[in-house]
């Protein structure tokens, strides 16, 4: 096996928390300011920063500073990569199922 699975493990680890999955879903429609993300949750700003650091460190989310605000968006390249992993797993599973028939 020549595939490096470490990035995929980081993606999944980052999404192994309900709050981070919700944040990731929120970012699927557009770039958001941290203040807008914070409004959707009953958490403190330091807790949001913790979750955003994990998402950004994993490579699933990009961040950029705009004045005093942090803006977040989905890293499209890595979203495509994780989607491809699951598409390949699904294709392999389908092939294995058809072989059993």
């Amino acid at each position: 096996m020549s595939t490096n699975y470490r990035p995929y493990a980081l993606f999944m680890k980052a999404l192994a928390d309900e709050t981070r999955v919700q944040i990731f879903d929120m970012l699927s429609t557009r770039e958001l300011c941290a203040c807008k993300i914070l409004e959707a949750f009953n958490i403190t700003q330091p807790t949001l920063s913790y979750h955003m650091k994990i998402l950004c460190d994993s490579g699933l989310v990009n961040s950029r500073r705009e004045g005093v605000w942090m803006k977040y968006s989905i890293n499209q390249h890595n979203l495509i990569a994780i989607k491809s992993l699951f598409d390949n797993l699904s294709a392999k599973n389908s092939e294995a199922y058809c072989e059993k028939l």
Side-chain angles (χ1 to χ4, degrees):
M1 279 189 208
S2 62
T3 302
N4 178 8
Y5 290 99
R6 188 171 197 281
Y8 300 113
L10 289 174
F11 299 155
M12 290 182 221
K13 187 175 180 180
L15 294 174
D17 178 271
E18 183 179 354
T19 299
R20 291 192 292 270
V21 172
Q22 287 179 286
I23 292 168
F24 196 66
D25 184 48
M26 289 173 66
L27 294 173
S28 69
T29 58
R30 66 188 181 285
E31 178 182 68
L32 290 172
C33 176
C35 60
K36 292 295 180 191
I37 298 170
L38 194 57
E39 288 174 3
F41 297 93
N42 187 25
I43 58 175
T44 64
Q45 188 279 325
T47 300
L48 176 63
S49 292
Y50 167 78
H51 287 302
M52 297 315 298
K53 179 173 176 24
I54 292 171
L55 287 167
C56 290
D57 287 352
S58 75
L60 285 174
V61 171
N62 297 320
S63 66
R64 68 179 183 87
R65 184 168 295 283
E66 187 175 286
V68 297
W69 305 109
M70 286 300 292
K71 302 269 185 144
Y72 297 98
S73 61
I74 289 181
N75 180 320
Q76 293 298 316
H77 174 77
N78 287 337
L79 177 61
I80 291 167
I82 198 167
K83 183 181 180 308
S84 294
L85 172 71
F86 285 109
D87 287 346
N88 288 336
L89 291 174
S90 179
K92 288 177 187 176
N93 189 309
S94 294
E95 288 173 14
Y97 178 77
C98 288
E99 287 176 6
K100 289 180 182 179
L101 295 178

